[in-house]
Amino acid sequence: MTGYGHAKFENDQMSIDVEIKSLNSKFLDISTKLPKEVAAFENEIKKILTEKIVRGKVNFSVEIALKNGIGSAGTLNQSLFNHYKNELRSVVSEQELSDTDLVKEVLRMPDILEFTDTTNDQVDRDQLFSLTGEALVECEKFRIQEGQAAESALATFAKHIDEKLALIKQKDPERIEAIKDRINESLSELAASDKSDPNRFEQELIYYIEKLDIAEEIIRLQNHIAYFHETLAEKESQGKKLGFISQEMGREINTIGSKANNSDIQKLVVDMKDELEKIKEQVLNVV
């Protein structure tokens, strides 16, 4: 589920910005972007995030800005500079890359500048974890708002399926009458034929009627929809259960579609499938 949280600390020496972004994902996937000053705390930070966030692609970042000249300016690593310069010049001619552009490219290379680490002892561990907690609270508020919107959307999609099912129930008697008319026509043709086999025809007729009956599927789908609403209303998050219920709903909808043999009902089945796909997509966001 999407979410965003931010916390900031600032004093005369530095400012620390902590940011958490979460995106929809079936599993928990945490990635961190930490400066060297706090890289040693990465595992502890991930543990804190894991305890609070169950599912989602989470990006956690920390930015530290020093003030009043704290820390030292970077010094050029001369040997590494010469190494990069020689390597680039060996594959790129002066006509292709001027000396000025070559220097610019070398300065972009990793570890070309060396910095004196003067801030390790200045970043307070407890302060960092406190900021992480504050950002998590903000992120959780955001996710709760998203969750309420998702709950409303899921309830609406399930309601739409229920409404389409009610229309199918209304049209089913008409479908049955149409089937009876076709059967009666076949009976009339059969009675006029000398090659008819009444016993075989009766067996085929029973099989045909059973094959086209959708009464049980309608009842089961109604029960699944009711259970879906009931599960959605529970206080504890039930993402996986909602996913399982939507699968069962899909089975009944597909069976109704395959048995219906009626264009009007088939259109309603397509509409129900469309709403069900919306449910499946949204359920992925629910823990």
Side-chain angles (χ1 to χ4, degrees):
M1 188 170 295
T2 58
Y4 177 79
H6 174 260
K8 184 172 184 176
F9 166 79
E10 188 171 6
N11 61 17
D12 295 337
Q13 296 179 327
M14 70 179 72
S15 66
I16 304 175
D17 282 271
V18 173
E19 186 177 72
I20 300 174
K21 296 179 182 177
S22 69
L23 300 173
N24 300 330
S25 178
K26 193 173 183 179
F27 305 101
L28 178 61
D29 179 17
I30 299 175
S31 62
T32 60
K33 182 181 178 183
L34 305 175
K36 291 189 294 184
E37 293 85 358
V38 297
F41 304 137
E42 181 177 10
N43 289 336
E44 292 178 90
I45 289 172
K46 284 187 175 181
K47 183 179 179 181
I48 293 172
L49 297 175
T50 302
E51 290 174 351
K52 297 295 182 180
I53 302 176
V54 179
R55 183 191 299 181
K57 182 176 178 59
V58 180
N59 293 314
F60 178 88
S61 65
V62 177
E63 291 187 5
I64 299 175
L66 304 179
K67 298 180 179 181
N68 301 327
I70 294 177
S72 64
T75 57
L76 183 67
N77 185 325
Q78 190 65 51
S79 62
L80 194 58
F81 177 87
N82 292 332
H83 170 75
Y84 283 138
K85 185 181 69 172
N86 293 334
E87 287 294 319
L88 284 173
R89 184 54 78 197
S90 68
V91 295
V92 182
S93 67
E94 292 183 8
Q95 288 76 20
E96 295 174 300
L97 189 68
S98 68
D99 287 340
T100 301
D101 291 333
L102 177 65
V103 170
K104 290 180 180 178
E105 290 299 322
V106 171
L107 290 176
R108 293 193 182 103
M109 295 297 180
D111 300 324
I112 200 69
L113 295 176
E114 296 178 336
F115 295 90
T116 303
D117 190 359
T118 61
T119 60
N120 278 334
D121 296 333
Q122 297 172 14
V123 179
D124 184 80
R125 173 182 177 276
D126 293 337
Q127 180 68 58
L128 177 64
F129 290 171
S130 177
L131 290 172
T132 301
E134 291 177 24
L136 271 170
V137 170
E138 293 299 316
C139 185
E140 188 63 19
K141 289 180 181 178
F142 197 109
R143 285 163 64 92
I144 288 173
Q145 292 175 352
E146 288 284 308
Q148 291 171 342
E151 180 181 2
S152 177
L154 286 169
T156 299
F157 299 149
K159 180 182 177 183
H160 289 167
I161 293 176
D162 201 18
E163 290 171 350
K164 304 300 180 185
L165 183 60
L167 293 176
I168 289 176
K169 289 175 63 178
Q170 292 177 8
K171 291 182 177 294
D172 193 42
E174 299 175 10
R175 182 184 73 100
I176 297 298
E177 287 300 319
I179 292 174
K180 287 181 179 179
D181 291 341
R182 291 200 297 270
I183 291 175
N184 287 329
E185 290 177 7
S186 299
L187 285 173
S188 298
E189 294 175 2
L190 184 64
S193 173
D194 296 333
K195 298 180 181 180
S196 63
D197 183 349
N199 292 330
R200 176 62 182 275
F201 181 78
E202 182 178 354
Q203 293 174 1
E204 294 290 339
L205 186 61
I206 293 173
Y207 171 78
Y208 184 70
I209 292 174
E210 289 179 348
K211 185 178 178 181
L212 296 179
D213 182 34
I214 60 173
E216 290 186 7
E217 285 78 12
I218 289 175
I219 293 173
R220 284 198 292 266
L221 182 54
Q222 285 178 317
N223 291 337
H224 291 329
I225 294 172
Y227 189 35
F228 186 89
H229 283 293
E230 178 184 328
T231 304
L232 192 61
E234 292 181 8
K235 292 183 179 180
E236 294 295 327
S237 187
Q238 300 287 348
K240 289 185 178 180
K241 182 186 286 188
L242 291 173
F244 294 146
I245 298 172
S246 66
Q247 290 177 9
E248 295 301 318
M249 291 166 62
R251 289 191 182 95
E252 303 306 333
I253 291 173
N254 288 332
T255 305
I256 290 173
S258 64
K259 285 186 173 185
N261 198 22
N262 178 278
S263 60
D264 291 336
I265 292 180
Q266 290 285 1
K267 291 177 182 177
L268 292 169
V269 166
V270 170
D271 290 341
M272 287 196 294
K273 286 183 178 181
D274 182 50
E275 296 298 323
L276 185 63
E277 284 303 310
K278 295 176 185 177
I279 287 177
K280 290 180 178 179
E281 182 179 352
Q282 191 66 251
V283 161
L284 294 177
N285 305 331
V286 182
V287 179

